[in-house]
Amino acid sequence: EDAFQKEDNTYNDIRFEEACILYNLGAMYSRLGANESRRTHDSIKNACTYFRCAAACYEKVRDQYTTYTSDLTPDLLTCQVHILLAQAHEAVLEKSLLDQRAPSVNAHVAMQISEYYQMALLNLMKPGINSIVSKRFREWRVYLTYKLSYYFALTYYCCGLIAEENKKHGQSVCYYEAAVERLKEAWKNAEKISSDKTNIFKDAHMFTNDVIMGKYKVAKRDNDSVYFEKVPTLSSLPAIQGAIVAKSQPFDCHDAEVCGQDIFQKLVPLDAHLAASEYSEEKAKLLREIIELTENKNRELETFMLCLQLNRVPLNNEYLRLPRELLDCCAAVTARPNMTKELVSAMQRMFI
């Protein structure tokens, strides 16, 4: 069944079954990643791993299988891969923030998340994708736009921290201001969908907004009253490059650690079936040769017996009867049970 159109599809192709299994594995891994609470380091690590595995599944379906159904469209799969990799990087960024890593590290990771969401949004907007995802299209577009702006805001916030550490107060004001504007833009897009769905990230958004707004106000006040540095335009500042720190994690479906114990291990392997079939054929072939040889010999024997003309030999009872003299001798021998001993004694006397 198609994941979006809910239409049944049937193909007489085992690779279609493989593609469906991989797609479902990707969906399962993404669900496992989404179900992680990410409140502990282990949970964050698990979420990242799940999202990477899910991305690998969709990449394999996209690169190695035919587009059997609309949900296997390469552009749509690419969109999903970028979303999953962005979520994996989100987990990395959360771990980095918990570990209090340097703002320069966080800035590159946050920028990479923004780039992934931007690429996902571009693939979502390609012709034909709207008709595939149908009702989900608007919701997906809003979510991606929100995430894109949100992580741009985090990127600028981290850049502001870097500028502040380097005593570049004018730049820090510029970055903080850009972060505030990005957050406003993000929430403006989020309000386009129902309030119950925006509540999912409302708390995180409000917390981030309070932190960035607080930093912006302090930086602007200090610069206006103490440092008096010129605030540059955002376009004049060096661009931040994203850093890929979590790639898709492919796996070998034949690895026992991945797929578990073979459920068909007690079945006779196909090679054994083929060998048994070959043995049976050779056995039948040999048996046919022996039967054929036996029949040939039987025919030869029958021909030989006919050549002897045994049917002309008289086989009546008179011909088979023993002579009378022989019968009398046999009777005499039978009547004398000690004849053998007497014969031996007589012969011994002859040689004395």
Coordinates of all heavy atoms in Angstrom, one line a residue, residues 114-205:
S114 N 20.4 23.8 9.3 CA 19.6 24.7 8.4 C 19.7 24.3 7.0 O 18.8 24.4 6.2 CB 20.1 26.1 8.7 OG 19.9 26.5 10.0
E115 N 20.9 23.9 6.5 CA 21.2 23.6 5.1 C 20.4 22.3 4.8 O 19.8 22.2 3.7 CB 22.7 23.4 4.9 CG 23.5 24.7 5.0 CD 25.0 24.4 4.8 OE1 25.3 23.2 4.6 OE2 25.7 25.4 4.8
Y116 N 20.4 21.4 5.7 CA 19.6 20.1 5.4 C 18.1 20.5 5.3 O 17.4 20.0 4.3 CB 19.8 19.1 6.5 CG 21.0 18.2 6.3 CD1 21.9 18.0 7.4 CD2 21.2 17.6 5.1 CE1 23.0 17.2 7.2 CE2 22.3 16.8 5.0 CZ 23.2 16.6 6.0 OH 24.3 15.8 5.8
Y117 N 17.6 21.3 6.2 CA 16.2 21.6 6.1 C 15.9 22.5 4.8 O 14.8 22.4 4.2 CB 15.7 22.4 7.3 CG 15.4 21.5 8.5 CD1 16.1 21.7 9.7 CD2 14.5 20.4 8.4 CE1 15.8 20.8 10.8 CE2 14.3 19.6 9.4 CZ 15.0 19.8 10.6 OH 14.7 18.9 11.7
Q118 N 16.8 23.3 4.4 CA 16.7 24.1 3.2 C 16.6 23.1 2.0 O 15.8 23.3 1.1 CB 17.8 25.1 3.1 CG 17.6 26.1 1.9 CD 18.6 27.2 2.0 OE1 19.7 27.0 2.5 NE2 18.3 28.4 1.5
M119 N 17.5 22.1 1.9 CA 17.5 21.2 0.8 C 16.3 20.3 0.8 O 15.7 20.0 -0.2 CB 18.8 20.3 0.9 CG 20.1 21.0 0.6 SD 21.5 19.9 0.5 CE 21.7 19.5 2.2
A120 N 15.8 20.0 2.0 CA 14.5 19.2 2.1 C 13.4 20.0 1.6 O 12.5 19.5 0.9 CB 14.3 18.8 3.5
L121 N 13.3 21.3 1.9 CA 12.3 22.2 1.5 C 12.3 22.3 -0.1 O 11.3 22.3 -0.7 CB 12.4 23.5 2.1 CG 11.3 24.6 1.9 CD1 9.9 24.0 2.3 CD2 11.6 25.9 2.6
L122 N 13.5 22.5 -0.6 CA 13.6 22.6 -2.1 C 13.1 21.3 -2.8 O 12.4 21.4 -3.8 CB 15.1 22.8 -2.5 CG 15.7 24.2 -2.1 CD1 17.1 24.3 -2.4 CD2 14.9 25.3 -2.8
N123 N 13.4 20.2 -2.2 CA 12.9 18.9 -2.8 C 11.4 18.8 -2.7 O 10.7 18.2 -3.5 CB 13.6 17.7 -2.2 CG 15.0 17.5 -2.8 OD1 15.2 16.9 -3.9 ND2 16.0 17.9 -2.1
L124 N 10.9 19.3 -1.5 CA 9.5 19.2 -1.3 C 8.7 20.1 -2.3 O 7.6 19.7 -2.7 CB 9.2 19.6 0.1 CG 7.7 19.5 0.6 CD1 7.2 18.1 0.6 CD2 7.5 20.2 1.9
M125 N 9.3 21.2 -2.7 CA 8.6 22.1 -3.6 C 8.8 21.7 -5.1 O 8.2 22.4 -5.9 CB 9.2 23.5 -3.4 CG 9.1 24.0 -2.0 SD 7.3 24.1 -1.4 CE 6.7 25.4 -2.5
K126 N 9.5 20.6 -5.4 CA 9.6 20.2 -6.8 C 8.3 19.8 -7.4 O 7.4 19.3 -6.6 CB 10.7 19.1 -6.9 CG 12.1 19.6 -6.7 CD 13.1 18.5 -6.9 CE 14.5 19.1 -6.8 NZ 15.5 18.0 -7.1
P127 N 8.1 19.9 -8.7 CA 6.8 19.5 -9.3 C 6.5 18.1 -9.1 O 7.3 17.2 -9.1 CB 7.1 19.8 -10.8 CG 8.2 20.7 -10.8 CD 9.1 20.4 -9.6
G128 N 5.2 17.8 -8.7 CA 4.7 16.5 -8.5 C 4.7 16.0 -7.1 O 3.9 15.1 -6.7
I129 N 5.5 16.6 -6.2 CA 5.6 16.2 -4.9 C 4.3 16.6 -4.1 O 3.8 15.8 -3.3 CB 6.8 16.7 -4.1 CG1 8.1 16.3 -4.9 CG2 6.9 16.3 -2.7 CD1 8.3 14.9 -5.0
N130 N 3.8 17.7 -4.5 CA 2.5 18.2 -3.8 C 1.4 17.2 -4.0 O 0.7 16.9 -3.0 CB 2.1 19.6 -4.4 CG 1.0 20.2 -3.7 OD1 0.4 19.6 -2.7 ND2 0.5 21.4 -4.1
S131 N 1.3 16.7 -5.2 CA 0.2 15.7 -5.5 C 0.4 14.4 -4.8 O -0.6 13.6 -4.5 CB 0.0 15.5 -7.0 OG 1.2 15.0 -7.5
I132 N 1.6 14.1 -4.4 CA 1.9 12.8 -3.8 C 1.6 12.9 -2.3 O 0.9 12.0 -1.8 CB 3.4 12.4 -4.0 CG1 3.7 12.2 -5.5 CG2 3.8 11.1 -3.2 CD1 5.2 11.9 -5.8
V133 N 2.1 13.9 -1.6 CA 1.9 13.9 -0.2 C 0.6 14.6 0.2 O 0.1 14.5 1.3 CB 3.1 14.7 0.5 CG1 4.4 14.0 0.3 CG2 3.2 16.2 0.0
S134 N 0.0 15.2 -0.8 CA -1.4 15.8 -0.7 C -1.6 16.6 0.6 O -1.1 17.6 0.7 CB -2.4 14.6 -0.9 OG -2.2 13.7 0.1
K135 N -2.4 16.0 1.5 CA -2.8 16.8 2.7 C -1.6 17.2 3.6 O -1.7 18.1 4.3 CB -3.8 16.0 3.5 CG -5.1 15.7 2.7 CD -6.1 14.9 3.6 CE -7.4 14.6 2.8 NZ -8.3 13.8 3.7
R136 N -0.6 16.4 3.5 CA 0.6 16.7 4.4 C 1.5 17.7 3.8 O 2.4 18.2 4.5 CB 1.4 15.4 4.6 CG 0.7 14.3 5.3 CD 1.6 13.1 5.5 NE 1.0 12.0 6.3 CZ 0.2 11.1 5.8 NH1 0.0 11.0 4.5 NH2 -0.3 10.1 6.6
F137 N 1.3 18.1 2.6 CA 2.2 19.0 1.9 C 2.3 20.4 2.7 O 3.4 20.8 3.0 CB 1.8 19.3 0.5 CG 2.6 20.3 -0.3 CD1 3.9 19.9 -0.8 CD2 2.2 21.6 -0.4 CE1 4.6 20.9 -1.4 CE2 3.0 22.5 -1.1 CZ 4.2 22.2 -1.6
R138 N 1.2 21.0 3.0 CA 1.2 22.3 3.6 C 1.9 22.2 5.0 O 2.7 23.0 5.4 CB -0.2 22.9 3.7 CG -0.3 24.2 4.4 CD -1.7 24.8 4.3 NE -1.8 26.1 4.9 CZ -2.0 26.2 6.2 NH1 -2.2 25.2 7.0 NH2 -2.1 27.5 6.8
E139 N 1.5 21.1 5.7 CA 2.1 20.9 7.1 C 3.6 20.7 7.0 O 4.3 21.3 7.8 CB 1.4 19.7 7.7 CG 1.8 19.5 9.2 CD 1.0 18.4 9.8 OE1 -0.2 18.2 9.4 OE2 1.6 17.6 10.6
W140 N 4.0 19.9 6.1 CA 5.4 19.7 5.9 C 6.2 21.0 5.6 O 7.2 21.2 6.1 CB 5.7 18.6 4.8 CG 5.4 17.2 5.3 CD1 4.7 16.8 6.3 CD2 5.9 16.0 4.7 NE1 4.7 15.5 6.4 CE2 5.4 14.9 5.4 CE3 6.7 15.8 3.6 CZ2 5.7 13.6 5.0 CZ3 7.0 14.5 3.2 CH2 6.5 13.4 4.0
R141 N 5.6 21.7 4.7 CA 6.2 23.0 4.2 C 6.4 23.9 5.4 O 7.4 24.6 5.6 CB 5.4 23.6 3.1 CG 6.1 24.9 2.5 CD 5.1 25.5 1.5 NE 3.9 25.9 2.1 CZ 2.8 26.3 1.4 NH1 2.9 26.4 0.1 NH2 1.7 26.7 2.0
V142 N 5.3 24.0 6.2 CA 5.4 24.9 7.4 C 6.4 24.5 8.4 O 7.2 25.3 8.9 CB 4.0 25.0 8.0 CG1 4.1 25.8 9.4 CG2 3.0 25.7 7.1
Y143 N 6.5 23.2 8.7 CA 7.4 22.6 9.6 C 8.9 22.9 9.1 O 9.7 23.3 9.9 CB 7.2 21.1 9.8 CG 6.1 20.8 10.7 CD1 5.4 19.5 10.7 CD2 5.7 21.7 11.7 CE1 4.4 19.2 11.5 CE2 4.7 21.3 12.6 CZ 4.0 20.1 12.5 OH 3.0 19.8 13.4
L144 N 9.1 22.6 7.8 CA 10.5 22.8 7.3 C 10.9 24.2 7.3 O 12.0 24.6 7.6 CB 10.5 22.2 5.9 CG 10.4 20.7 5.8 CD1 10.4 20.3 4.3 CD2 11.5 20.0 6.5
T145 N 9.9 25.1 7.0 CA 10.2 26.5 7.0 C 10.5 27.0 8.4 O 11.5 27.8 8.6 CB 9.1 27.3 6.4 OG1 8.8 26.8 5.1 CG2 9.4 28.8 6.3
Y146 N 9.8 26.5 9.4 CA 10.0 26.9 10.8 C 11.4 26.4 11.2 O 12.1 27.2 11.8 CB 8.9 26.3 11.6 CG 9.2 26.5 13.1 CD1 8.9 27.7 13.7 CD2 9.8 25.5 13.9 CE1 9.3 27.9 15.1 CE2 10.1 25.6 15.2 CZ 9.8 26.8 15.8 OH 10.1 27.0 17.1
K147 N 11.7 25.1 11.0 CA 12.9 24.6 11.4 C 14.1 25.3 10.7 O 15.1 25.5 11.4 CB 13.0 23.1 11.0 CG 12.1 22.2 11.9 CD 12.8 21.8 13.1 CE 12.0 20.7 13.8 NZ 12.7 20.2 15.0
L148 N 13.9 25.6 9.5 CA 15.0 26.4 8.7 C 15.3 27.7 9.4 O 16.5 28.0 9.7 CB 14.5 26.6 7.3 CG 15.4 27.5 6.4 CD1 16.8 26.8 6.3 CD2 14.8 27.7 5.1
S149 N 14.3 28.5 9.7 CA 14.5 29.8 10.4 C 15.0 29.6 11.8 O 15.8 30.4 12.3 CB 13.1 30.5 10.4 OG 12.7 30.8 9.0
Y150 N 14.5 28.6 12.5 CA 14.8 28.4 13.9 C 16.3 28.1 14.0 O 17.0 28.7 14.9 CB 14.0 27.2 14.5 CG 14.3 26.9 15.9 CD1 13.7 27.7 16.9 CD2 15.2 25.9 16.3 CE1 14.0 27.4 18.3 CE2 15.5 25.6 17.6 CZ 14.9 26.4 18.6 OH 15.2 26.1 19.9
Y151 N 16.8 27.2 13.2 CA 18.3 26.9 13.3 C 19.2 27.9 12.6 O 20.3 28.0 13.0 CB 18.5 25.5 12.7 CG 18.1 24.4 13.7 CD1 16.8 23.8 13.5 CD2 18.8 24.1 14.8 CE1 16.4 22.8 14.4 CE2 18.4 23.1 15.7 CZ 17.2 22.5 15.5 OH 16.8 21.6 16.4
F152 N 18.6 28.7 11.7 CA 19.4 29.9 11.3 C 19.6 30.9 12.5 O 20.6 31.4 12.7 CB 18.7 30.6 10.2 CG 19.2 30.3 8.8 CD1 18.3 29.9 7.8 CD2 20.5 30.3 8.5 CE1 18.7 29.6 6.6 CE2 21.0 29.9 7.3 CZ 20.1 29.6 6.3
A153 N 18.5 31.0 13.3 CA 18.6 31.8 14.5 C 19.6 31.3 15.5 O 20.4 32.1 16.1 CB 17.2 31.9 15.2
L154 N 19.6 30.0 15.7 CA 20.7 29.4 16.6 C 22.1 29.6 16.0 O 23.0 29.9 16.8 CB 20.4 27.9 16.8 CG 19.2 27.5 17.7 CD1 19.2 26.0 17.9 CD2 19.3 28.2 19.1
T155 N 22.2 29.5 14.7 CA 23.5 29.8 14.1 C 24.0 31.2 14.4 O 25.1 31.4 14.8 CB 23.4 29.5 12.6 OG1 23.0 28.2 12.3 CG2 24.8 29.7 11.9
Y156 N 23.1 32.2 14.1 CA 23.5 33.6 14.4 C 23.7 33.8 15.9 O 24.6 34.6 16.2 CB 22.4 34.5 13.8 CG 22.2 34.4 12.3 CD1 21.0 34.5 11.8 CD2 23.3 34.3 11.5 CE1 20.8 34.4 10.4 CE2 23.2 34.2 10.1 CZ 21.9 34.3 9.6 OH 21.8 34.2 8.2
Y157 N 23.0 33.1 16.7 CA 23.2 33.3 18.2 C 24.6 32.8 18.5 O 25.3 33.5 19.3 CB 22.1 32.5 18.9 CG 22.4 32.4 20.4 CD1 22.3 33.5 21.2 CD2 22.8 31.2 20.9 CE1 22.6 33.4 22.6 CE2 23.0 31.0 22.3 CZ 22.9 32.1 23.1 OH 23.2 32.0 24.5
C158 N 25.0 31.7 18.0 CA 26.3 31.2 18.3 C 27.4 32.1 17.7 O 28.5 32.3 18.3 CB 26.5 29.7 17.8 SG 25.4 28.5 18.6
C159 N 27.1 32.6 16.5 CA 28.1 33.5 15.9 C 28.2 34.8 16.8 O 29.3 35.4 16.9 CB 27.6 33.9 14.5 SG 27.8 32.5 13.3
G160 N 27.1 35.2 17.4 CA 27.1 36.4 18.3 C 27.9 36.1 19.5 O 28.7 37.0 20.0
L161 N 27.9 34.9 20.0 CA 28.7 34.5 21.2 C 30.2 34.6 20.8 O 31.0 35.0 21.6 CB 28.3 33.1 21.7 CG 26.9 33.0 22.3 CD1 26.6 31.5 22.7 CD2 26.7 33.9 23.5
I162 N 30.5 34.1 19.6 CA 31.9 34.1 19.1 C 32.4 35.5 19.0 O 33.5 35.8 19.5 CB 32.0 33.3 17.8 CG1 31.6 31.9 17.9 CG2 33.4 33.4 17.3 CD1 31.5 31.1 16.6
A163 N 31.6 36.4 18.4 CA 32.0 37.8 18.2 C 32.1 38.5 19.6 O 33.0 39.3 19.8 CB 30.9 38.5 17.4
E164 N 31.3 38.1 20.5 CA 31.4 38.7 21.9 C 32.6 38.3 22.6 O 33.3 39.1 23.3 CB 30.1 38.3 22.7 CG 29.9 39.0 24.0 CD 28.6 38.7 24.6 OE1 27.7 38.2 24.0 OE2 28.5 39.0 25.8
E165 N 33.0 37.0 22.4 CA 34.3 36.5 23.0 C 35.5 37.2 22.4 O 36.5 37.4 23.1 CB 34.4 35.0 22.8 CG 33.4 34.2 23.6 CD 33.5 32.7 23.3 OE1 34.3 32.3 22.4 OE2 32.9 31.9 24.0
N166 N 35.4 37.5 21.1 CA 36.5 38.2 20.4 C 36.4 39.7 20.5 O 37.2 40.4 19.8 CB 36.5 37.8 18.9 CG 36.7 36.3 18.7 OD1 37.4 35.7 19.5 ND2 36.2 35.7 17.7
K167 N 35.6 40.2 21.4 CA 35.4 41.7 21.6 C 35.0 42.4 20.4 O 35.3 43.6 20.3 CB 36.8 42.2 22.1 CG 37.4 41.5 23.3 CD 36.4 41.6 24.5 CE 37.1 40.9 25.8 NZ 36.2 40.9 26.9
K168 N 34.2 41.8 19.5 CA 33.7 42.4 18.4 C 32.2 42.7 18.6 O 31.3 42.0 18.2 CB 33.9 41.6 17.1 CG 35.3 41.3 16.8 CD 35.5 40.4 15.5 CE 36.9 40.2 15.2 NZ 37.1 39.3 14.0
H169 N 32.0 43.8 19.4 CA 30.7 44.0 19.9 C 29.7 44.5 18.8 O 28.5 44.1 18.9 CB 30.8 45.1 21.0 CG 31.7 44.7 22.1 ND1 31.4 43.8 23.1 CD2 33.0 45.1 22.4 CE1 32.4 43.7 23.9 NE2 33.4 44.5 23.5
G170 N 30.1 45.2 17.8 CA 29.3 45.5 16.7 C 28.7 44.3 16.0 O 27.6 44.2 15.6
Q171 N 29.6 43.4 15.7 CA 29.2 42.1 15.1 C 28.3 41.3 15.9 O 27.3 40.7 15.4 CB 30.5 41.3 14.7 CG 31.3 41.9 13.6 CD 32.5 40.9 13.2 OE1 32.5 39.7 13.6 NE2 33.4 41.4 12.5
S172 N 28.5 41.3 17.2 CA 27.6 40.5 18.1 C 26.2 41.1 18.1 O 25.3 40.3 18.0 CB 28.2 40.5 19.5 OG 28.2 41.8 20.1
V173 N 26.1 42.4 18.0 CA 24.8 43.0 18.0 C 24.1 42.6 16.7 O 22.9 42.3 16.6 CB 24.9 44.5 18.1 CG1 23.5 45.2 17.8 CG2 25.4 44.9 19.5
C174 N 24.9 42.6 15.6 CA 24.3 42.3 14.3 C 23.8 40.8 14.3 O 22.7 40.5 13.8 CB 25.4 42.5 13.2 SG 24.8 42.0 11.5
Y175 N 24.6 39.9 14.8 CA 24.2 38.5 14.8 C 23.0 38.3 15.7 O 22.1 37.5 15.4 CB 25.4 37.6 15.3 CG 26.4 37.4 14.2 CD1 27.8 37.7 14.4 CD2 26.1 36.8 13.0 CE1 28.7 37.4 13.5 CE2 27.0 36.5 12.0 CZ 28.3 36.8 12.2 OH 29.3 36.6 11.3
Y176 N 23.0 38.9 16.9 CA 21.9 38.7 17.8 C 20.6 39.3 17.2 O 19.5 38.7 17.3 CB 22.2 39.4 19.1 CG 23.2 38.7 20.0 CD1 24.1 39.5 20.8 CD2 23.3 37.3 20.0 CE1 25.1 38.8 21.5 CE2 24.3 36.7 20.8 CZ 25.2 37.4 21.5 OH 26.1 36.8 22.3
E177 N 20.7 40.4 16.5 CA 19.5 41.0 15.9 C 19.0 40.1 14.8 O 17.8 39.9 14.6 CB 19.9 42.4 15.3 CG 18.7 43.1 14.7 CD 19.1 44.5 14.2 OE1 20.3 44.8 14.2 OE2 18.2 45.2 13.8
A178 N 19.9 39.5 14.0 CA 19.5 38.6 12.9 C 18.9 37.4 13.5 O 17.9 36.8 13.0 CB 20.7 38.2 12.1
A179 N 19.4 36.9 14.7 CA 18.8 35.7 15.3 C 17.4 36.0 15.8 O 16.4 35.2 15.6 CB 19.6 35.3 16.5
V180 N 17.2 37.2 16.3 CA 15.8 37.6 16.8 C 14.9 37.7 15.6 O 13.7 37.2 15.7 CB 15.9 39.0 17.5 CG1 14.5 39.5 17.8 CG2 16.6 38.8 18.8
E181 N 15.3 38.3 14.5 CA 14.5 38.4 13.3 C 14.1 37.0 12.8 O 13.0 36.7 12.3 CB 15.2 39.2 12.2 CG 15.3 40.7 12.6 CD 14.0 41.4 12.8 OE1 13.0 41.0 12.1 OE2 13.9 42.2 13.8
R182 N 15.1 36.1 12.8 CA 14.8 34.7 12.3 C 13.8 34.0 13.2 O 12.9 33.3 12.7 CB 16.1 33.9 12.2 CG 17.0 34.2 11.0 CD 16.3 33.7 9.7 NE 17.1 33.8 8.6 CZ 16.8 33.3 7.4 NH1 15.6 32.7 7.2 NH2 17.6 33.4 6.4
L183 N 13.9 34.2 14.5 CA 12.9 33.6 15.4 C 11.5 34.1 15.1 O 10.5 33.4 15.2 CB 13.3 33.8 16.8 CG 14.4 32.8 17.4 CD1 14.7 33.2 18.8 CD2 13.9 31.4 17.3
K184 N 11.4 35.4 14.9 CA 10.1 36.0 14.6 C 9.5 35.5 13.3 O 8.3 35.1 13.2 CB 10.2 37.6 14.5 CG 10.5 38.3 15.8 CD 10.6 39.8 15.6 CE 10.9 40.5 17.0 NZ 11.0 42.0 16.8
E185 N 10.4 35.3 12.4 CA 10.0 34.8 11.1 C 9.5 33.3 11.2 O 8.5 32.9 10.6 CB 11.1 34.9 10.1 CG 10.8 34.3 8.7 CD 12.0 34.4 7.8 OE1 13.0 35.1 8.1 OE2 12.0 33.6 6.8
A186 N 10.3 32.6 12.1 CA 9.9 31.2 12.3 C 8.5 31.0 12.9 O 7.7 30.2 12.5 CB 11.0 30.5 13.2
W187 N 8.3 31.8 13.9 CA 7.0 31.7 14.6 C 5.9 32.2 13.8 O 4.7 31.7 13.8 CB 7.0 32.5 15.9 CG 5.8 32.2 16.8 CD1 4.8 33.0 17.1 CD2 5.6 31.0 17.4 NE1 3.9 32.4 17.9 CE2 4.3 31.1 18.1 CE3 6.2 29.8 17.5 CZ2 3.8 30.1 18.9 CZ3 5.7 28.7 18.3 CH2 4.5 28.9 18.9
K188 N 6.1 33.2 12.9 CA 5.1 33.7 12.0 C 4.7 32.5 11.0 O 3.5 32.4 10.7 CB 5.7 34.8 11.2 CG 4.7 35.5 10.3 CD 5.3 36.7 9.6 CE 4.3 37.3 8.6 NZ 4.8 38.5 7.9
N189 N 5.6 31.7 10.6 CA 5.3 30.6 9.8 C 4.6 29.5 10.5 O 3.7 28.8 10.0 CB 6.6 30.0 9.1 CG 7.1 30.9 8.0 OD1 6.4 31.3 7.1 ND2 8.4 31.1 8.0
A190 N 5.0 29.3 11.8 CA 4.4 28.3 12.6 C 2.9 28.5 12.9 O 2.1 27.6 13.0 CB 5.2 28.1 13.9
E191 N 2.6 29.8 13.0 CA 1.2 30.1 13.3 C 0.2 29.9 12.1 O -1.0 30.0 12.3 CB 1.1 31.6 13.7 CG 1.7 31.9 15.0 CD 1.7 33.4 15.3 OE1 1.5 34.2 14.4 OE2 1.7 33.7 16.5
K192 N 0.8 29.4 11.0 CA -0.1 29.1 9.8 C -0.8 27.8 10.0 O -1.7 27.5 9.2 CB 0.7 29.1 8.6 CG 1.3 30.5 8.2 CD 2.1 30.4 6.9 CE 2.7 31.8 6.6 NZ 3.5 31.7 5.3
I193 N -0.4 27.0 10.9 CA -1.0 25.7 11.2 C -1.8 25.8 12.5 O -1.7 26.7 13.2 CB 0.0 24.5 11.2 CG1 1.1 24.7 12.2 CG2 0.6 24.3 9.8 CD1 2.1 23.6 12.3
S194 N -2.5 24.7 12.8 CA -3.3 24.7 14.0 C -2.5 24.9 15.3 O -1.4 24.4 15.3 CB -4.2 23.4 14.1 OG -3.3 22.3 14.1
S195 N -3.1 25.5 16.3 CA -2.4 25.8 17.5 C -2.0 24.5 18.2 O -0.9 24.5 18.9 CB -3.3 26.6 18.4 OG -4.5 25.9 18.7
D196 N -2.8 23.4 18.1 CA -2.4 22.2 18.8 C -1.1 21.6 18.3 O -0.4 20.9 19.0 CB -3.5 21.2 18.8 CG -3.9 20.8 17.3 OD1 -3.7 21.7 16.4 OD2 -4.3 19.7 17.1
K197 N -0.8 21.9 17.0 CA 0.4 21.3 16.5 C 1.6 22.3 16.7 O 2.7 21.8 16.9 CB 0.3 21.1 15.0 CG -0.7 20.0 14.6 CD -0.8 19.8 13.1 CE -1.8 18.7 12.8 NZ -1.9 18.4 11.4
T198 N 1.3 23.6 16.9 CA 2.4 24.5 17.2 C 2.9 24.4 18.7 O 4.0 24.7 19.0 CB 2.0 25.9 16.9 OG1 0.8 26.2 17.7 CG2 1.7 26.2 15.5
N199 N 2.0 23.8 19.5 CA 2.3 23.6 20.9 C 3.5 22.6 21.1 O 4.1 22.6 22.1 CB 1.1 23.1 21.7 CG 0.1 24.2 21.8 OD1 0.4 25.4 21.8 ND2 -1.2 23.8 22.0
I200 N 3.7 21.8 20.0 CA 4.8 20.8 20.1 C 6.1 21.5 20.4 O 7.0 21.0 21.2 CB 4.9 20.0 18.8 CG1 3.6 19.2 18.6 CG2 6.0 19.0 18.8 CD1 3.5 18.5 17.3
F201 N 6.4 22.6 19.7 CA 7.7 23.3 19.8 C 7.5 24.7 20.4 O 8.4 25.5 20.3 CB 8.4 23.4 18.5 CG 7.5 23.7 17.3 CD1 7.0 24.9 17.1 CD2 7.2 22.6 16.4 CE1 6.2 25.2 16.0 CE2 6.4 22.9 15.3 CZ 5.9 24.2 15.1
K202 N 6.4 25.0 21.0 CA 6.1 26.4 21.6 C 7.1 26.6 22.7 O 7.7 27.7 22.8 CB 4.7 26.5 22.0 CG 4.4 27.9 22.5 CD 2.9 28.0 22.8 CE 2.6 29.4 23.3 NZ 1.1 29.6 23.7
D203 N 7.2 25.7 23.7 CA 8.0 25.9 24.8 C 9.5 26.1 24.5 O 10.1 27.0 25.0 CB 7.9 24.7 25.8 CG 6.5 24.6 26.4 OD1 5.8 25.6 26.4 OD2 6.1 23.5 26.8
A204 N 10.0 25.3 23.6 CA 11.4 25.4 23.1 C 11.6 26.7 22.4 O 12.6 27.4 22.6 CB 11.8 24.3 22.2
H205 N 10.6 27.2 21.6 CA 10.7 28.4 20.9 C 10.7 29.6 21.9 O 11.6 30.5 21.8 CB 9.6 28.6 19.9 CG 9.6 29.9 19.2 ND1 10.2 30.0 17.9 CD2 9.1 31.1 19.4 CE1 10.1 31.2 17.5 NE2 9.4 31.9 18.4

